[in-house]
Amino acid sequence: MSSLLFRRRISRTLIPDYTDFYYSTLESNFETSYSIYQCVRKLSSSRAGNKFDFTDLTRPHSWYPTARQKKRNVILHVGPTNSGKTYHALKRLESSPSGIYCGPLRLLAWEVSQRLNKAKVPCDLITGQEREEIDGARHKAATVEMADLKYDYSCAVVDEIQMLGCRTRGFSFTRALLGICADELHLCGDPAAVPLVQEILKVTDDVVEVQYYERLSPLVPLKVPLGSFSNVQTGDCIVTFSRYEIYKIKKEIENRKKHLCSVVYGSLPPETRSRQATMFNDENNDFDVLVASDAIGMGLNLNISRIIFSTLKKFDGTEVRDLTVSEIKQIAGRAGRYKSKYPVGEVTCLKSADLPLLHSSLSSPSPTLEQAGLFPTFDLLLLFSRLHPTYGLQQILEHFVEHAKLSDKYFITNCEEMLKVAAVVDELPLSLSDKYLFLMSPVDMDDDISSQGLTQFAESYCRNHIVRLKEIFSPGTLKIPKSHKQLKELESIHKVLDLYVWLSFHMDDSFPDRELAASQKSICSMLIEEFLAINGWEKASPRKLSRPTPYKSLSP
């Protein structure tokens, strides 16, 4: 596809569904305790400076002095999928004079903002790629990385709190857990997170309460496998873990002339995932079967009758392994929604050999989380760099990863992606703060087009501090993909446009073409949808093919 001026093209793979990434602005990272700030003066004396160990991360709760000044009431709402835990927390948020919702996905933040505004509670939407400010709003709905820790809230909600154990994003949830200043902090998620959260908060002087919830609708593990895709029924969701398998299964099902399939997977733009899910949920639409990856595990309200695992193995970036108990339960729990068309959910596998693992996982509790993610603040990296002025950002990160001192409750986040970005920006004459901003941007360095986009944006920024989108992208050249290779390329172009929008919110004077990038993102999503349905729409009537608006609510 000629719309990008990139020099190299290599093969790319399906990436996990992370959607929003990392912190909002450098300002939000200056949250370190007063004792850290005192070190700036100490650094004037090399003797005193060398005594201070910036790699000592054993007291991360002290990084957030504003939150430590308040004795918070922390309420854990824990239970399985479809148990109403988040519903009860949001009701409390809705009735509070001020508050913030922090979710793992942009789509979840959008849905909460819509819910509160509909309930006549003005609520801003704040994600890395969106800002919607409402007059008089004292509530915010944000992705967890965008949580404002400087504000004092009456109520705060952090959704999917078990993600503090995520190897790549866990530090953002730890930051929210320790740093949000609120009278009430509601944490929603898996019971597996309870002991770790209780242990972490022992040193914060917070009051911790746990409320357990039971599933509102039954989930029935079936004793027989699906056996063949000829046995697929309306309302089924087939789960697999690669783009290739998703389209292979979609084709096999649709070739039987009985069903049309929507698809959902991580590399699809969030807007496209939302529309595909809406098409599947719509009873007046011919797309009555869903083929999906584990991207359905959170963020989409889906009317699924039966979850069918085509396999219980996935490639996690390092090896092909069995799904964990937590992963199986999270995905299986998407079947059967309370007060939906399918109030009783069923779950099975394509092959009988996978049934024992499925049944044992569903009957077992999720393994208790033992550690939470942690990452040094920008303050610490900056002060450390003053002691080592010849170090680039990559060397600084590597030093922290190698030498960080941690308590047994924490781990340093997986920095592989960050180190790849650091290697790029270290080649450029950028300040540490600018390097850090690019480090925290939503770039997929394993995607050749996405990584080249970041490189060209950074190089252009170095040249004149103004980055025009047309330097890297030619509007008007996007076309409907004609092959899966072109589809992957268009998904990558969407990532580059998404990156530009993100940078425009953090360096608005230097990235002035936000509206153009956003409009081209929308065109990308539309063209991807055209490709996804190109073999199926001809079988459906035009009346049933009206496209929903972006981020249309997925509630029934």
Side-chain angles (χ1 to χ4, degrees), residues 8 27 34 41 80 177 187 212 218 241 259 344 376 443 462 554:
R8 294 177 292 115
E27 181 183 2
Y34 179 67
R41 287 181 297 191
L177 172 65
L187 309 173
Y212 291 93
F241 300 99
H259 304 281
V344 177
V443 59
C462 278
L554 302 180

Side-chain angles (χ1 to χ4, degrees), residues 229 242-255 291 484:
F229 290 121
S242 76
R243 180 195 278 107
Y244 172 80
E245 287 296 325
I246 285 173
Y247 286 109
K248 178 182 175 183
I249 292 171
K250 170 182 168 70
K251 182 177 180 180
E252 185 171 347
I253 292 173
E254 292 187 342
N255 282 346
V291 185
H484 287 281

Side-chain angles (χ1 to χ4, degrees), residues 24-42:
S24 58
T25 62
L26 292 176
E27 181 183 2
S28 71
N29 289 283
F30 285 86
E31 300 147 352
T32 321
S33 65
Y34 179 67
S35 62
I36 297 294
Y37 284 113
Q38 287 179 314
C39 292
V40 175
R41 287 181 297 191
K42 290 183 180 180

Side-chain angles (χ1 to χ4, degrees), residues 243 265 267-268 487-495:
R243 180 195 278 107
Y265 55 91
S267 293
L268 282 179
L487 172 64
K488 289 193 291 184
E489 197 170 76
L490 192 57
E491 291 169 357
S492 297
I493 292 172
H494 185 278
K495 293 176 187 176

